[in-house]
Amino acid sequence: VLFELLTGIWPFMEEEVSDLFRAHALEPVPTLASARAALSARPELDALIAKAMAKSQVERFTDANAMRMALGQIPRPAAWLIA
């Protein structure tokens, strides 16, 4: 959801549902800049999103509070639009 809020699109855009499932399971998480060229983000924010969307459960945040705490550690602004 955070990826979509920041970029305006889903992280994986496929026409076929089977291709969408495959992308979610196998493709690396795209960076924010690759999804929205006008968006510049701190590497920590990209890392947070990658961790939240990790394929392996053990690599993801243990719960929403852990993610919230990590988000709070990212210097502000965490992302900004560039002209």
Side-chain angles (χ1 to χ4, degrees), residues 51-65:
K51 182 172 180 165
M53 295 178 60
K55 308 304 180 197
S56 170
Q57 181 179 0
V58 296
E59 294 176 4
R60 292 192 297 262
F61 291 101
T62 54
D63 55 34
N65 190 52

Side-chain angles (χ1 to χ4, degrees), residues 1-74:
V1 173
L2 181 58
F3 186 96
E4 186 178 358
L5 283 169
L6 292 168
T7 64
I9 62 170
W10 294 342
F12 302 103
M13 303 286 291
E14 305 293 339
E15 296 212 12
E16 298 294 326
V17 173
S18 60
D19 292 335
L20 181 63
F21 288 155
R22 184 185 114 359
H24 269 285
L26 302 174
E27 297 296 323
V29 176
T31 62
L32 295 169
S34 71
R36 185 171 183 188
L39 182 67
S40 185
R42 293 189 182 275
E44 300 95 332
L45 184 57
D46 270 320
L48 179 134
I49 290 172
K51 182 172 180 165
M53 295 178 60
K55 308 304 180 197
S56 170
Q57 181 179 0
V58 296
E59 294 176 4
R60 292 192 297 262
F61 291 101
T62 54
D63 55 34
N65 190 52
M67 185 174 168
R68 182 186 64 80
M69 297 289 288
L71 187 59
Q73 297 299 311
I74 299 173

